[in-house]
Amino acid sequence: MTDSFLYTTPLDPLAQPLIQALTWEYETRYGDYWGAGDGVKEMNRYPAELFAPPDGAFLLLLRDGAAIAGGAFKRYDEQTAEMKRVWTHVDLRRQGLARRVLQELEAQAARQGYSRIYLTTGFRQPEAAGLYLRSGYTALFDTEIDPEIHG
């Protein structure tokens, strides 16, 4: 069992299982909260070029050649990278893979000249919110309120 990072693009065939699973997860977690097909709309909201150097990055964590986790960032402003799409294969969660992806993306953002990182996560993604809070990010919302209130 060998894990390795691969910097690539969301268009890479290796990324497709991850992207399809993330789209399905958005669909199942949010349903038609914002309207039918929101998972697909969300995944298509940003063109792949935004996640390419010099302003962005798209990363896969591969295990024996298959994508098991991944994430990306894009330019938010001149000093700030915006994290997007940090995700782990559903069968491999709670093993620290998302934290490894997050740490690698943070290091890459610094290598690309960013001094700050901004991110958002959906209100029906408590695992992601927990990861970010445990990793030292500051919540811009009241963590004691029912997440459904944030919408």
Side-chain angles (χ1 to χ4, degrees):
M1 177 170 72
T2 302
D3 291 356
S4 61
F5 288 115
L6 173 68
Y7 283 92
T8 186
T9 165
L11 304 176
D12 187 321
L14 287 172
Q16 295 317 299
L18 180 148
I19 290 170
Q20 290 168 356
L22 183 54
T23 302
W24 178 86
E25 188 148 346
Y26 286 157
E27 290 287 332
T28 57
R29 286 191 185 223
Y30 294 97
D32 62 358
Y33 184 82
W34 287 289
D38 281 335
V40 173
K41 287 181 209 169
E42 175 60 27
M43 292 303 292
N44 291 321
R45 182 161 50 144
Y46 305 106
E49 306 84 63
L50 292 180
F51 302 113
D55 295 332
F58 183 86
L59 172 72
L60 295 175
L61 178 57
L62 303 178
R63 178 168 290 162
D64 299 325
I68 60 169
F73 65 80
K74 65 183 192 68
R75 177 180 292 274
Y76 184 77
D77 64 31
E78 220 169 277
Q79 296 132 0
T80 312
E82 181 179 1
M83 287 292 171
K84 302 300 287 180
R85 316 281 190 249
V86 175
W87 183 85
T88 301
H89 188 287
V90 67
D91 295 334
L92 299 172
R93 292 190 175 157
R94 311 292 305 162
Q95 297 179 29
L97 299 175
R99 182 177 304 276
R100 288 176 57 196
V101 167
L102 184 62
Q103 290 170 337
E104 178 64 20
L105 287 169
E106 290 168 340
Q108 183 61 28
R111 288 189 290 268
Q112 287 179 224
Y114 293 109
S115 59
R116 296 176 6 163
I117 294 176
Y118 171 79
L119 58 84
T120 60
T121 190
F123 65 97
R124 291 185 180 165
Q125 296 170 258
E127 306 89 345
L131 168 68
Y132 301 136
L133 292 171
R134 285 189 308 278
S135 297
Y137 288 84
T138 302
L140 300 177
F141 59 89
D142 186 341
T143 58
E144 302 301 315
I145 294 176
D146 179 355
E148 292 286 323
I149 292 171
H150 296 297

